[in-house]
Amino acid sequence: MNKEELKNVIPHRNSMLLIDEATKTGDTTCEGKKYITGDEWFLDGHFPGNPVVPGVILCEMMAQASAVIIAEKSAVSIPFFAEIQKAKFKNKVLPGDTFEIQCELTRNRGNFYFIKGKGYVDGKLCVSAEFSFALIERV
């Protein structure tokens, strides 16, 4: 899915739609990409003269990519973060990098979905985390 197709799955727009593409690779897996140009709003103050993508933004990118796993359910619901656990940051993500995302749905209970995500640059692990989100009916 490109950015326009992603808009049918997640409610993010403008500066908060943080991924450039995402693909469902299996029933419970997906991959996504974000091309870090250096012009992103979150690099403006993090850190002046030494821009580094903030960890919380990397987690949000992984969560947005994972929404394609349950895209058919997202047509009538909005995914909301419920929890982030075991976030580990191993390497920096910098302007010029392609941040590659791999996520796997590990389980779901009702409207709650549990995901394991990893993010890489040039094959090097930069971040890993477990998170969950709840699907809330659109109004």
Side-chain angles (χ1 to χ4, degrees):
M1 294 181 171
N2 62 31
K3 278 194 170 198
E4 288 306 310
E5 293 166 323
L6 286 165
K7 289 179 182 179
N8 294 321
V9 177
I10 57 178
H12 302 76
R13 298 293 184 268
N14 301 325
S15 60
M16 278 308 295
L17 180 54
L18 298 176
I19 57 174
D20 294 315
E21 56 189 72
T23 304
K24 188 173 178 179
T25 55
D27 288 340
T28 60
T29 57
C30 73
E31 294 178 351
K33 287 186 181 177
K34 170 62 177 170
Y35 304 100
I36 309 298
T37 65
D39 294 329
E40 291 84 4
W41 60 270
F42 48 79
L43 293 175
D44 187 37
H46 195 269
F47 302 101
N50 185 24
V52 176
V53 179
V56 69
I57 297 295
L58 297 175
C59 289
E60 176 67 24
M61 289 175 184
M62 291 188 301
Q64 288 184 19
S66 71
V68 302
I69 296 170
I70 57 164
E72 63 281 353
K73 293 174 177 51
S74 296
V76 295
S77 301
I78 298 174
F80 281 91
F81 253 136
E83 183 176 50
I84 300 174
Q85 291 188 356
K86 300 181 183 177
K88 295 179 182 173
F89 306 95
K90 304 284 187 181
N91 290 290
K92 296 185 277 187
V93 179
L94 305 169
D97 287 344
T98 298
F99 182 61
E100 298 181 68
I101 300 161
Q102 296 177 353
C103 292
E104 180 180 9
L105 174 67
T106 57
R107 66 187 170 106
N108 86 288
R109 182 181 294 166
N111 289 339
F112 288 89
Y113 291 80
F114 300 85
I115 305 286
K116 284 186 179 182
K118 293 182 178 181
Y120 301 85
V121 172
D122 294 328
K124 289 173 56 176
L125 181 65
C126 296
V127 59
S128 62
E130 296 177 11
F131 49 94
S132 62
F133 55 92
L135 288 181
I136 308 298
E137 188 175 330
R138 292 179 189 259
V139 273

